[in-house]
Amino acid sequence: MTSVLGTEEMWLWLGTAGMLAGTLYFLVDGWGVEDRRRREFYVVILFASATASVNYLAMALGFGITTLEFGGRPATVYWARYTDWIFTTPLLFIALGLLAGATRRQLALLVGLDGLMVATGVLATLSTGTGAYVPVGGPFLWWGVSTAMLLSLLYFLFGPLTARTDAKPAELRSTFVTLRNLVAVVWLCYPVWWLLGTNGAGLTGSYVETAGFMTLDLIAKLAFGYVLLSSDEALDAAGRAADAASGASYPAD
Ligand SMILES: *C/C=C(C)/C=C/C=C(C)/C=C/C1=C(C)CCCC1(C)C
């Protein structure tokens, strides 16, 4: 028992260390950046990695984890995972939107769908163990709603948002496509991992589950941030396009 918990704690500390290291890296890397447009990207990515660091620290210290009773059985809920995702996942979409030159309306749609995805994911987790394991109720219903939100997000990424990069310089387009594909592959692993884990099929124990989510989180935030922020030409092209769009922060609809 102790060794299992120990292993799990180790992953959470590793996640904390990884997110902190990433945050520091982005901070140092972005310190001397003068360009206002380019700084926007640093700020968005820094907020995402710093938020994840805090939530991982909360889980590693045991504060971000609580035990709830579901149908008479105690279950461990990692609530800090969701307070992380509700803030960090919209930020990653905002970064993609800024890069692609999304309209305000498109950004609002992405952020809204993303918020619904995380909120219904919380409902899926909280309804685990209620005994309602039928397709029309309980965790699988909410898992389905949340996954539908994720699929519509990917639809918007591959459709309208990709279309906004059509007339943009090649470097911008290629960075956007790399990040978009990374999001598609990595984010689709989350619902599958959730389903295999303690809330679904129970094929992975909680420490394997924690290790998996940590790996996904590190790739989704740090690898994403690294690819974005090291694409100098793409960031400059995005800045020029945004400046050209009548001085507004975002191009008007
Ligand atoms: C940095 C953190 C990221 C990118 C987290 C992404 C999380 C998801 C894509 C979660 C998705 C889920 C579903 C689609 C179904 C229900 C279970 C969730 C919340 C794991």
Side-chain angles (χ1 to χ4, degrees):
M1 191 65 185
T2 335
S3 76
V4 167
L5 282 176
T7 315
E8 195 170 347
E9 238 175 77
M10 184 194 79
W11 291 117
L12 293 168
W13 281 112
L14 218 58
T16 310
M19 290 299 179
L20 272 176
T23 307
L24 277 179
Y25 173 83
F26 295 139
L27 199 61
V28 171
D29 189 48
W31 200 253
V33 173
E34 299 277 326
D35 183 74
R36 185 173 55 90
R37 295 287 184 192
R38 216 192 259 206
R39 274 212 305 261
E40 277 181 356
F41 287 101
Y42 276 91
V43 168
V44 171
I45 296 299
L46 269 167
F47 264 109
S49 60
T51 304
S53 306
V54 170
N55 281 288
Y56 264 97
L57 181 63
M59 288 191 284
L61 292 171
F63 174 70
I65 307 173
T66 191
T67 306
L68 294 180
E69 196 147 304
F70 292 129
R73 281 184 304 124
T76 309
V77 175
Y78 291 72
W79 60 262
R81 211 171 259 162
Y82 298 95
T83 49
D84 174 335
W85 296 349
I86 197 77
F87 293 113
T88 59
T89 55
L91 286 170
L92 298 175
F93 274 114
I94 288 173
L96 273 178
L98 285 175
L99 182 65
T103 63
R104 273 171 194 280
R105 218 184 294 160
Q106 286 173 326
L107 278 181
L109 185 71
L110 287 168
V111 169
L113 281 174
D114 181 89
L116 279 174
M117 178 191 82
V118 177
T120 49
V122 171
L123 293 180
T125 298
L126 291 182
S127 56
T128 300
T130 50
Y133 276 93
V134 284
V136 289
F140 295 135
L141 170 78
W142 295 115
W143 180 91
V145 175
S146 182
T147 301
M149 297 300 157
L150 175 58
L151 294 177
S152 17
L153 278 168
L154 293 178
Y155 167 80
F156 276 99
L157 270 192
F158 279 79
L161 218 56
T162 300
R164 295 217 46 110
T165 67
D166 278 346
K168 303 266 163 65
E171 310 84 52
L172 188 157
R173 202 182 148 78
S174 104
T175 300
F176 176 83
V177 167
T178 305
L179 292 172
R180 179 199 69 184
N181 294 348
L182 183 139
V183 166
V185 172
V186 175
W187 290 42
L188 280 172
C189 293
Y190 282 87
V192 176
W193 197 241
W194 187 96
L195 212 53
L196 295 178
T198 52
N199 295 105
L203 293 179
T204 61
S206 59
Y207 62 94
V208 176
E209 179 173 282
T210 299
F213 276 130
M214 184 209 66
T215 308
L216 291 173
D217 282 348
L218 288 177
I219 301 172
K221 296 183 179 70
L222 303 187
F224 179 97
Y226 180 77
V227 170
L228 177 71
L229 297 177
S230 57
S231 305
D232 294 342
E233 288 168 355
L235 297 190
D236 287 342
R240 279 195 307 276
D243 281 335
S246 73
S249 300
Y250 309 113
D253 280 353

